Amino acid sequence: MDKVFSGEAAFRAYIGILWFFDKCDQSLGSVIATIQRAVDAVVQQTPVLGGVLCTDATGCVVIDSTKLRPVVLQRTRQPVPYTLLEMNERGFAQSQFPLVFDALAGPTPDVDGLPVLSVHAMKLQCGGLVLAIQCHHIAADAVAAAAIAQTISNACNLQPAESSLWSDRAFIKQMLLSHQPSPLPSELHILSTDYSKHPASNLQITGEFVCRQIKITGSALQQLKARDTKCSANALAMALVWRAWTRAIVAHGSTCPFTYSGGPADMRNRCPLSSNMQHYIGNFIMPMPMFASRDFILDSKLQKVAAHIQADFRLASLGGLRNHMDNANNVMIHLAKTDAPAVTFSNMAQLPLYDLGFGTGFKPTSVQLRSFDAPYMMFAISDGHGGLAVNTTLPHSIYEAFINDTEFSTFANFVY
């Protein structure tokens, strides 16, 4: 049905989005029946979502499976023994609420037979409702998962989809490769860096990698924005993280003269593909590593670092994606040869996750987006109140450095 880009590895995990409703007037069985009808309608219109994954000699394919349609499952027979209030108070830590989150599978090196799409529903002890939609990362990125969820939610409300979700990867790749981006400024373009001149040192980042959540409130984002109205809140928030990260690795003994960060480059907004590009459900967000001298990051004002980030995304994203797609020069492998790994800040706050009701008649109280636990990854979505909830995977020692960072602590804090 659909072939992943040639050479794409199958070692990916599911992207899971969970919606928490504090009340629901319908029975769980009624909710499941409504969502099942919607899923069936969406799969009929976009059959790739009803397929299963299978590896071949060149990578991974999605094959049709008429016997295995996505079925909306009841997560547990009894209500999950937690309340939405205590989950909010304790920060949705996955380790504290395993019955809710353990359905979201981790990295899966053997993908053969795995469904592209799966849906779960469960009740909480307080009477609240939890819905979880999982899309395997080999077939969808975070924006694609949100588009799938929005299409399902619309179908629950008997709203017809504007068009089927688009998955013609070969056409998209050809369009990207034929597009001529603007010339790239060499001082901003990471692919021009000669890493052989900067060998690894004895950087020691100790401690087990753990998942925690950072909160940047709406008022804190407004304070950041007030510092420079020309830069986006995303660039300013990313600059805040990058500066704290750089100070942390220097404190851990990094001698590399460069420091690396990155974020998502969504090609829907970079390359004129077609009017239907927002409905594309493949991996269309690529990590775009960027670099700067350590002195520039530490000695410049926050606004100047944010401007550097914003300029890098505007000018270098498309060329970097084309390089990534061709598999000609894996930037992340180069970064692994330095003593300064890249911290990646992915802001998905614009996804309309809080607008989806799935036929319940209510809007969610909270939304959680879970991806595979990539080291040094920060994954941000809206907190529903104008701020950011940022899920992170970092070593304990880095968290301690962030907590003790005066600038970082002015605008952000750890929820758990």
Side-chain angles (χ1 to χ4, degrees):
M1 294 174 61
D2 189 34
K3 184 177 286 291
V4 176
F5 296 141
S6 177
E8 175 133 9
F11 192 86
R12 295 284 187 89
Y14 281 95
I15 293 176
I17 311 178
L18 297 97
W19 289 263
F20 296 82
F21 298 85
D22 59 0
K23 56 184 177 180
C24 180
D25 296 337
Q26 306 172 38
S27 68
L28 184 59
S30 177
V31 170
I32 289 176
T34 297
I35 298 177
Q36 184 66 68
R37 286 193 296 270
V39 169
D40 290 344
V42 172
V43 169
Q44 183 177 12
Q45 195 170 40
T46 308
V48 67
L49 295 178
V52 295
L53 300 169
C54 180
T55 54
D56 67 6
T58 63
C60 185
V61 295
V62 178
I63 59 175
D64 192 4
S65 178
T66 55
K67 296 180 180 179
L68 181 64
R69 66 168 184 159
V71 176
V72 182
L73 299 174
Q74 180 176 337
R75 182 67 186 91
T76 59
R77 291 184 178 274
Q78 301 297 325
V80 178
Y82 315 121
T83 67
L84 187 57
L85 177 62
E86 69 176 312
M87 295 185 76
N88 272 308
E89 289 177 343
R90 290 157 65 182
F92 293 89
Q94 185 165 340
S95 60
Q96 297 185 46
F97 304 104
L99 289 178
V100 175
F101 294 108
D102 66 358
L104 303 179
T108 47
D110 182 8
V111 301
D112 288 351
L114 291 179
V116 172
L117 174 69
S118 62
V119 184
H120 297 264
M122 68 195 87
K123 277 279 192 177
L124 295 176
Q125 189 178 60
C126 61
L129 173 70
V130 183
L131 299 176
I133 292 180
Q134 298 183 77
C135 300
H136 202 278
H137 207 323
I138 207 73
D141 55 31
V143 174
I148 293 167
Q150 186 171 15
T151 305
I152 292 173
S153 182
N154 289 345
C156 288
N157 297 322
L158 301 179
Q159 298 177 11
E162 295 179 5
S163 61
S164 60
L165 295 163
W166 191 32
S167 60
D168 188 347
R169 297 181 177 212
F171 173 75
I172 289 173
K173 181 177 181 181
Q174 182 59 39
M175 290 292 292
L176 285 168
L177 293 178
S178 62
H179 183 66
Q180 296 299 319
S182 302
L184 305 180
S186 60
E187 70 272 17
L188 294 180
H189 192 26
I190 192 170
L191 298 180
S192 65
T193 304
D194 183 357
Y195 298 94
S196 64
K197 296 180 179 179
H198 309 294
S201 68
N202 295 319
L203 176 64
Q204 295 293 322
I205 299 181
T206 59
E208 178 186 2
F209 279 87
V210 293
C211 298
R212 296 184 65 180
Q213 188 180 81
I214 297 171
K215 184 69 172 291
I216 305 178
T217 65
S219 60
L221 283 179
Q222 289 301 317
Q223 291 179 47
L224 285 171
K225 184 66 175 173
R227 291 191 168 197
D228 190 340
T229 56
K230 296 180 181 179
C231 287
S232 68
N234 178 59
L236 288 160
M238 188 170 169
L240 177 72
V241 168
W242 195 356
R243 283 161 63 85
W245 167 256
T246 303
R247 284 189 284 264
I249 62 173
V250 169
H252 280 73
S254 173
T255 60
C256 182
F258 290 97
T259 176
Y260 305 87
S261 184
D266 187 352
M267 294 302 106
R268 295 169 183 84
N269 300 320
R270 303 292 181 189
C271 184
L273 296 177
S274 82
S275 59
N276 195 36
M277 59 187 172
Q278 295 294 345
H279 298 281
Y280 177 67
I281 63 171
N283 288 296
F284 216 39
I285 292 181
M286 294 295 178
M288 292 304 306
M290 62 184 70
F291 81 101
S293 72
R294 190 174 70 184
D295 292 342
F296 170 80
I297 296 297
L298 296 182
D299 298 341
S300 302
K301 291 184 178 181
L302 181 70
Q303 302 95 301
K304 192 170 183 178
V305 176
H308 172 83
I309 292 170
Q310 196 153 292
D312 192 282
F313 275 122
R314 286 178 176 173
L315 297 173
S317 295
L318 191 54
L321 175 72
R322 296 203 317 178
N323 185 283
H324 181 96
M325 289 175 61
D326 287 338
N327 201 27
N329 188 4
N330 191 326
V331 178
M332 303 311 289
I333 290 178
H334 284 299
L335 294 183
K337 295 178 181 177
T338 75
D339 74 341
V343 63
T344 304
F345 186 83
S346 297
N347 188 346
M348 303 299 174
Q350 301 304 314
L351 300 181
L353 302 178
Y354 279 86
D355 296 332
L356 308 184
F358 297 95
T360 63
F362 300 99
K363 288 193 175 184
T365 305
S366 180
V367 180
Q368 298 287 314
L369 199 157
R370 306 272 167 159
S371 186
F372 57 95
D373 299 333
Y376 306 113
M377 181 76 177
M378 296 192 174
F379 206 84
I381 64 169
S382 168
D383 67 352
H385 303 285
L388 295 177
V390 188
N391 291 330
T392 68
T393 306
L394 297 169
H396 275 296
S397 57
I398 295 294
Y399 286 122
E400 294 171 1
F402 272 46
I403 291 171
N404 295 323
D405 189 285
T406 303
E407 182 183 60
F408 181 83
S409 300
T410 300
F411 299 98
N413 66 286
F414 285 98
V415 178
Y416 60 84

